[in-house]
């Protein structure tokens, strides 16, 4: 029996005309289309003039566990399974990872039909360095957890990309000001490829002020990485203490600050321990 692959296909993030010829072909030939939202996928098919030949079923975060086993059995039976999400590449902050992992574990072939990506488009439009970057997806919704994650990223040297819901964008930018400083360069990309596409560039403080009145649409935030700082041991120890105060383990805090300053992790650790001992004695 010929083993058909699981096909991950990127869908347009806004403008249907961004659909690839490969996506159109896959939609028309798949035995099963696993879609995050079948209604949106049917609208996309209509916009592209595609009549799906196979069955379309729902595959989203609430039923992944139950449906994954069925899709694996269909692949084993020789069916061609196409996985699509509402926008962009499956498994990138969308359903898909669980199915890919199960297919790999079952030694079933997996392939990809590339296409639109909000992450890469936002990076390209941001005007920030793109030679090295980190994608951090959605930040935690709770303020305390969000602050801890951002504190952990304060010394990250790579450009960072985040997704955010419009109603949380103002709070997230304000939290970034607290963690990264008001002057850190950033860009807020809104409604990419859509009619009201907008890219706001500037220091985080200015972007937070702009977002305070509310933001609409799909949001991607790009933030410049931390700049190298002078290798000043006392200042670096204070940075370590600040990270520890935000819940980071001492060893991890020393590693972060060492990466940012070029100082030795051991020197930082020893100095931080000595500083804490002196503080307790005093």
């Amino acid at each position: 029996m010929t083993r058909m692959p699981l096909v991950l296909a990127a869908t347009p993030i806004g403008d249907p005309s961004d659909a690839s010829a490969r996506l159109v072909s896959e939609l028309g030939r798949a035995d099963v289309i696993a879609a995050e939202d079948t209604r949106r996928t049917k609208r996309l098919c209509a916009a592209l003039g595609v009549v799906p030949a196979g069955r379309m079923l729902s595959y989203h975060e609430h039923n992944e566990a139950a449906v994954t086993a069925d899709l694996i059995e269909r692949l084993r039976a020789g069916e061609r399974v196409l996985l699509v999400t509402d926008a962009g590449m499956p498994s990138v902050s969308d359903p898909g990872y669980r199915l890919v992992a199960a297919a790999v574990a079952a030694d079933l072939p997996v392939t990809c039909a590339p296409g639109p990506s909000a992450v890469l488009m936002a990076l390209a439009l941001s005007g920030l360095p793109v030679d090295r970057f980190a994608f951090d997806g959605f930040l935690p919704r709770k303020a305390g957890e969000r602050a801890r994650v951002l504190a952990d990223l304060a010394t990250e040297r790579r450009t960072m990309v985040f997704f955010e819901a419009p109603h949380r964008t103002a709070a997230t930018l304000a939290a970034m000001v607290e963690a990264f400083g008001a002057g850190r360069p950033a860009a807020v990309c809104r409604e990419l490829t859509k009619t009201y596409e907008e890219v706001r560039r500037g220091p985080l403080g200015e972007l937070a002020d702009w977002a305070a009145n509310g933001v609409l649409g799909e949001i991607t935030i790009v933030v410049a990485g931390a700049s190298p700082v002078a290798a000043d041991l006392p200042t670096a120890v204070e940075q370590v203490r600040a990270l520890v105060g935000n819940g980071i383990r001492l060893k991890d805090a020393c590693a972060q600050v060492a990466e940012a300053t070029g100082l030795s992790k051991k020197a930082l650790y020893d100095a931080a321990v000595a500083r804490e001992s002196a503080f307790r004695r005093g």
Side-chain angles (χ1 to χ4, degrees):
M1 179 186 298
T2 301
R3 297 202 308 170
M4 301 302 291
L6 166 65
V7 182
L8 313 178
T11 55
I13 60 176
D15 188 339
S17 65
D18 290 333
S20 68
R22 174 86 180 277
L23 172 62
V24 173
S25 172
E26 295 292 350
L27 286 168
R29 67 190 289 216
D31 297 302
V32 179
I33 300 173
E36 183 178 8
D37 184 331
T38 57
R39 295 166 300 179
R40 292 187 65 164
T41 301
K42 287 175 181 177
R43 288 198 296 269
L44 176 62
C45 287
L48 299 177
V50 177
V51 178
R55 176 190 174 196
M56 190 178 298
L57 54 82
S58 294
Y59 187 78
H60 47 73
E61 62 177 331
H62 301 298
N63 72 354
E64 274 186 284
V67 179
T68 292
D70 175 60
L71 292 177
I72 292 298
E73 288 308 310
R74 290 175 180 273
L75 287 164
R76 284 197 174 109
E79 295 188 40
R80 189 178 186 89
V81 176
L82 174 65
L83 177 63
V84 294
T85 60
D86 293 345
M89 180 61 67
S91 80
V92 180
S93 285
D94 277 324
Y97 166 75
R98 188 191 299 266
L99 180 57
V100 173
V104 170
D107 196 28
L108 295 167
V110 182
T111 190
C112 179
S117 165
V119 175
L120 297 182
M121 185 174 177
L123 273 169
L125 292 175
S126 70
L128 299 172
V130 298
D131 53 333
R132 297 175 68 237
F133 69 90
F135 174 60
D136 287 279
F138 286 94
L139 289 166
R141 298 183 182 187
K142 295 182 179 179
E145 294 176 11
R146 181 172 59 222
R148 283 191 289 274
V149 170
L150 291 174
D152 192 43
L153 294 172
T155 57
E156 171 61 64
R157 298 280 292 277
R158 295 170 294 179
T159 298
M160 296 168 282
V161 185
F162 304 87
F163 287 160
E164 192 50 280
H167 62 280
R168 291 195 296 270
T169 297
T172 290
L173 289 170
M176 287 177 172
V177 169
E178 289 295 318
F180 303 152
R184 181 81 71 92
V188 178
C189 304
R190 188 178 74 84
E191 293 289 88
L192 292 175
T193 79
K194 299 177 185 176
T195 302
Y196 298 104
E197 176 179 302
E198 179 182 19
V199 180
R200 289 265 180 168
R201 305 175 185 87
L204 277 171
E206 292 183 7
L207 293 174
D209 290 342
W210 162 75
N213 293 325
V215 180
L216 299 176
E218 300 289 332
I219 305 296
T220 305
I221 301 172
V222 187
V223 182
S227 299
V229 297
D232 177 339
L233 185 57
T235 300
V237 169
E238 290 306 312
Q239 293 174 4
V240 169
R241 294 184 69 234
L243 289 172
V244 170
N246 280 310
I248 308 299
R249 290 194 317 161
L250 178 58
K251 287 182 64 175
D252 294 335
C254 290
Q256 285 188 39
V257 177
E259 171 69 18
T261 63
L263 290 168
S264 159
K265 286 188 287 186
K266 184 178 186 306
L268 278 169
Y269 184 88
D270 291 345
V273 170
R275 171 71 176 78
E276 193 62 28
S277 297
F279 178 78
R280 288 173 181 170
R281 288 196 303 270

